[in-house]
Amino acid sequence: TSSTTAATSATTSSTKARVCTEKFFQNIVNTYTFHRDDDADDPTKPRMLILYGSQTGTAEEFSQTFAGEAKRFGFKPKVMDLVDFDNPEERFQNEKLVIFIVATYGEGEPTDNARDFFEWIRNENLPKDLLPNVQYSVFGLGNKQYKIFNAVARIFDKRLEQLGAKRIFEKGEGDADDKYVQLFLYFF
C-alpha cells in the first residue's frame, strides 16, 4: 500500500507540474508578440533565448529542462551561458523573447559566469528605452540561509523593466532548502 501511495503521489506531482508548465507557456502565447519571421530556418516557430547564470550547474540544468519544454510548446529555444552573451546592447537588438534562469551565490553575488552581465545591467547610465522590443521572465535560484536571498534575479527583473523590457510572467524565486525542482516545476 505504501508503494501505491508513493506512485499516486508521484503521478499527482507530475500532473500538477504539467498543468503549471502548460499555464506558463499558455501565458506566453497569450501575451508574447510573436516575431515568427525572425528565423529563416523555420519561420513558424518563435525564437526564445534562455540565458543562465550558474555556479554549480543547477541553473544550467534547469535551462536545458526548460528548453525541452519550450520545444514541446512550439518554440525554438536557444540556451546560452551569460558569459557568452557579450555586448548586450547589440545582442538584445536581435532577441525578442528572453528567459533568465540565474543563481545568487554567496551573500547576494552573481555567479562567476553572470558577473559581467550583472555589472552591465546595474549601470544606471543605460538609456531607459534600451529594450523596448524585449519580452522577458526571470527565475532565480537562491538559499534563504543567506542574508540576501535571490538578489541577482531581483536586480535582473527590476532593471530589465526599467530599461523598457516587458515582463511576460512574474519573477520566480527558488530556495535550495525547499527543493528548487518543486518550485521550478510550479513556475515553469
Side-chain angles (χ1 to χ4, degrees):
T1 58
S2 65
S3 63
T4 304
T5 303
T8 302
S9 178
T11 301
T12 302
S13 293
S14 176
T15 301
K16 285 180 183 176
R18 177 77 50 177
V19 168
C20 291
T21 302
E22 289 175 5
K23 177 183 169 189
F24 176 82
F25 280 103
Q26 190 58 49
N27 186 62
I28 290 177
V29 168
N30 290 338
T31 61
Y32 175 63
T33 305
F34 287 96
H35 299 275
R36 295 186 187 276
D37 58 341
D38 289 346
D39 191 342
D41 293 340
D42 189 348
T44 65
K45 293 185 178 183
R47 292 185 336 186
M48 174 187 290
L49 178 62
I50 304 165
L51 294 171
Y52 69 87
S54 189
Q55 196 71 21
T56 63
T58 305
E60 180 179 8
E61 181 182 335
F62 283 7
S63 295
Q64 295 296 338
T65 300
F66 185 74
E69 288 298 302
K71 284 180 188 174
R72 192 169 72 83
F73 282 89
F75 291 87
K76 184 174 181 182
K78 178 179 181 180
V79 176
M80 181 182 283
D81 187 323
L82 269 167
V83 76
D84 296 325
F85 195 69
D86 53 351
N87 200 358
E89 288 181 55
E90 269 186 44
R91 298 289 288 268
F92 272 126
Q93 300 309 311
N94 297 318
E95 302 300 337
K96 308 295 186 236
L97 177 58
V98 184
I99 306 298
F100 291 86
I101 301 176
V102 294
T104 296
Y105 185 68
E107 294 294 335
E109 297 296 317
T111 58
D112 292 341
N113 67 324
R115 188 167 305 283
D116 289 345
F117 185 84
F118 182 78
E119 293 305 320
W120 174 81
I121 203 163
R122 286 182 41 192
N123 180 350
E124 294 292 329
N125 294 321
L126 292 172
K128 300 293 183 215
D129 61 349
L130 181 64
L131 307 174
N133 298 318
V134 174
Q135 297 178 63
Y136 76 96
S137 190
V138 178
F139 182 76
L141 304 172
N143 189 321
K144 286 185 179 176
Q145 291 181 12
Y146 290 102
K147 190 164 135 180
I148 304 173
F149 177 67
N150 262 312
V152 174
R154 291 174 183 181
I155 289 168
F156 279 20
D157 185 60
K158 178 181 177 182
R159 288 295 294 149
L160 287 162
E161 183 177 47
Q162 289 174 345
L163 295 173
K166 179 184 175 193
R167 183 185 302 109
I168 57 170
F169 201 81
E170 65 190 67
K171 171 180 48 64
E173 294 184 354
D175 178 18
D177 289 343
D178 289 336
K179 304 292 181 218
Y180 291 134
V181 175
Q182 291 175 1
L183 185 56
F184 181 75
L185 289 173
Y186 174 75
F187 182 69
F188 293 122

